[in-house]
Amino acid sequence: MSKLHRDGVLSARERISRLLDNHTFVEIGALVGENDSVITGYGSVLGRLVFVYAQDSSVSDGFIDERQAKKICSLYDKAMKMGATVVGFLDSKGFKDDRGFSGLGDVFSTMIKASGVIPQVTAIMGECTGASSIIPTLSDFIFTVKDNYKFFLVEPSSDPKENGKKGDTSSKPDNSITHFVCDTEASCISDMIRLIDIIPSNNMEDAPFFGTGDDSSREDEFLNSIVSENLDNLDMERIIKSIGDNGDFIEVQKDFSPEVKEGFIRISGYTVGVIANNSCKLTHHSTGKALRFLSFCDSFNIPVVTLTDVCGFKGGVGQTVLIKSVTKLLAGFNNATCPKINVIVRNGFGTPSLVMNSKATGADIVVAWEGANVSSSENYSDCGVSDAVLKGFVDDVIKPSKTRGYLANVLEMLSTKRDTAPSKKHSSLSL
């Protein structure tokens, strides 16, 4: 144990203990068998019920057999009945035998059924390779510890393109799979607690209200001068923190596709998802990133605020790839039934602005900052915001400094929103 601690690594039980409130852990299935490589149970995180499992690599390298798979599936069944988040600490070399292989398939199936019903959060705390690498990708949020995990489906050295190199792209901070990359296991678990605190426990309840003491009508005069006349990128993080309670912002996938910034804030104590253009050009990566986050927010009815500043698409990728990704984001906003507000902070031109939560694609409210440029055309002439209001592209024009107060009022109005979609099995666009 002391060697693990010197390396900054915690044991499976220590990970559970750090996650849960003191003395709240109740183990389930402890008598299933000796030398069990997975620990399962429940407890509370900041007073809210959470179910947790942790793979123990010190026992048979954490290999999954039929018994461990059944324990994880049973845990999920209880979590779904109770409407509580599931947290998994992953540290395993995969399945042990044919029964373990079948059991892993049962885990996949259970996680898929739980998707959109309860939040699923996983942390890769060691090896997560082979078929086991699918477990985190079926969850909603993936945490990793920098330089202290292995994560791949196919051994990199067995891939001819790798030429025997060690490592893989999935373990890099800017990969498209991981949501949070942390420096240590302790900071990772702290960040997990922070995330769990701001999201709902299931799809039938709202995220918990947290009184922050920050005035909902607070104005920020700095926002009146933040928009420059050139096309340099705006400081979107500064804008996001300005409108959120006490400047708190939980950014998701910070290192991947920085053309979009996204994450959670609170406004007047209520959880809000933010998707902001951090570049005037949309990319296929940024649209995919935004869609994934939007999907989670919509599944759990978290209001989404988009901060729009777009004037085109970025080249450097095949048109087929770009068109597909743009189409999926367009459909995502159109199909989402959660409250949707769009704030055009500088530019909203042509097709890109149509994709970014526009009135035409289902936004409940679209507002533009004074001086914003809005046009259905991608040429930048004749694009005053007043004309956009007359044409119905925009509902209102506001002074930038008043954005927080405006959003607080609109979110209160939309808090009772009910929206039903046509009856169908699912959209074919999701395939």
Side-chain angles (χ1 to χ4, degrees):
M1 187 69 70
S2 59
K3 183 182 185 301
L4 287 178
H5 289 169
R6 283 198 303 271
D7 295 336
V9 177
L10 303 173
S11 70
R13 291 189 180 277
E14 285 175 326
R15 290 162 183 163
I16 293 174
S17 177
R18 291 214 179 195
L19 175 76
L20 300 178
D21 299 338
N22 289 337
H23 311 299
T24 64
F25 179 56
V26 178
E27 189 169 354
I28 302 173
L31 302 179
V32 169
E34 296 181 359
N35 298 322
D36 206 343
S37 60
V38 64
I39 303 165
T40 58
Y42 64 89
S44 65
V45 172
L46 301 178
R48 298 166 66 202
L49 178 64
V50 170
F51 287 80
V52 60
Y53 69 93
Q55 294 176 328
D56 188 350
S57 61
S58 70
V59 179
S60 303
D61 289 325
F63 277 117
I64 294 177
D65 62 19
E66 183 181 29
R67 182 181 57 191
Q68 281 86 49
K70 284 183 177 179
K71 285 180 68 173
I72 294 173
C73 290
S74 177
L75 186 83
Y76 262 92
D77 290 341
K78 290 180 176 64
M80 290 181 69
K81 288 176 183 178
M82 302 308 299
T85 298
V86 171
V87 174
F89 291 104
L90 306 179
D91 191 357
S92 168
K93 290 186 176 180
F95 58 89
K96 191 171 186 178
D97 50 30
D98 289 346
R99 289 187 176 181
F101 176 73
S102 177
L104 200 55
D106 292 337
V107 173
F108 297 161
S109 179
T110 301
M111 293 183 71
I112 291 169
K113 289 176 183 176
S115 180
V117 179
I118 55 174
Q120 302 177 60
V121 181
T122 55
I124 303 174
M125 294 298 202
E127 290 198 38
C128 185
T129 59
S132 290
S133 65
I134 295 176
I135 292 177
T137 58
L138 288 175
S139 64
D140 296 303
F141 296 103
I142 305 172
F143 286 77
T144 61
V145 179
K146 190 183 300 181
D147 302 324
N148 197 30
Y149 70 101
K150 291 183 180 179
F151 181 38
F152 54 78
L153 183 60
V154 179
E155 179 72 42
S157 60
S158 67
D159 186 343
K161 294 181 180 179
E162 292 286 341
N163 295 320
K165 296 178 181 177
K166 294 182 179 181
D168 64 293
T169 56
S170 64
S171 64
K172 296 178 180 178
D174 61 351
N175 74 78
S176 63
I177 297 178
T178 303
H179 296 89
F180 300 93
V181 179
C182 308
D183 291 328
T184 66
E185 288 201 11
S187 65
C188 179
I189 294 171
S190 295
D191 287 348
M192 293 171 76
I193 293 171
R194 189 172 172 227
L195 174 70
I196 292 168
D197 184 42
I198 204 169
I199 60 177
S201 293
N202 59 70
N203 64 343
M204 299 298 290
E205 70 175 35
D206 295 329
F209 170 82
F210 182 78
T212 61
D214 195 352
D215 184 2
S216 61
S217 60
R218 169 177 52 79
E219 296 185 19
D220 186 351
E221 291 296 329
F222 178 75
L223 296 187
N224 293 331
S225 59
I226 199 170
V227 176
S228 60
E229 294 182 358
N230 57 41
L231 290 180
D232 290 342
N233 293 343
L234 289 176
D235 186 353
M236 274 298 183
E237 184 169 347
R238 174 67 173 78
I239 298 173
I240 293 169
K241 289 182 175 181
S242 171
I243 64 177
D245 291 354
N246 299 320
D248 291 333
F249 174 42
I250 299 177
E251 186 169 359
V252 177
Q253 288 197 303
K254 180 177 181 178
D255 297 308
F256 173 65
S257 190
E259 297 88 2
V260 159
K261 275 193 173 292
E262 62 188 25
F264 298 106
I265 60 173
R266 282 188 170 98
I267 296 180
S268 299
Y270 294 98
T271 298
V272 176
V274 176
I275 300 173
N277 297 121
N278 202 38
S279 167
C280 279
K281 300 293 182 71
L282 280 179
T283 68
H284 70 293
H285 282 315
S286 63
T287 52
K289 174 181 174 179
L291 176 61
R292 188 176 179 184
F293 182 72
L294 170 65
S295 179
F296 177 83
C297 291
D298 186 46
S299 292
F300 295 94
N301 204 40
I302 297 172
V304 172
V305 171
T306 50
L307 300 175
T308 299
D309 179 29
V310 286
C311 58
F313 297 105
K314 188 175 181 179
V317 66
Q319 289 299 303
T320 300
V321 173
L322 181 61
I323 292 170
K324 282 184 177 180
S325 64
V326 168
T327 300
K328 287 183 177 182
L329 181 58
L330 182 71
F333 273 118
N334 193 78
N335 289 329
T337 58
C338 61
K340 296 172 290 187
I341 306 169
N342 185 11
V343 181
I344 303 174
V345 299
R346 182 169 59 177
N347 295 316
F349 290 123
T351 306
S353 67
L354 197 65
V355 173
M356 283 298 299
N357 193 24
S358 63
K359 288 282 287 184
T361 56
D364 296 299
I365 295 290
V366 176
V367 61
W369 278 3
E370 291 177 350
N373 304 306
V374 183
S375 174
S376 59
S377 170
E378 292 184 25
N379 77 44
Y380 303 157
S381 61
D382 189 25
C383 53
V385 69
S386 298
D387 189 49
V389 174
L390 292 175
K391 292 178 179 178
F393 299 160
V394 172
D395 292 303
D396 204 352
V397 180
I398 63 170
K399 195 172 183 179
S401 60
K402 297 180 180 294
T403 303
R404 173 177 163 83
Y406 184 91
L407 290 175
N409 288 331
V410 173
L411 286 165
E412 183 177 358
M413 179 270 291
L414 291 172
S415 63
T416 56
K417 176 186 175 182
R418 297 293 180 268
D419 192 0
T420 56
S423 177
K424 58 183 175 182
K425 191 171 183 179
H426 58 71
S427 170
S428 62
L429 292 172
S430 64
L431 300 177

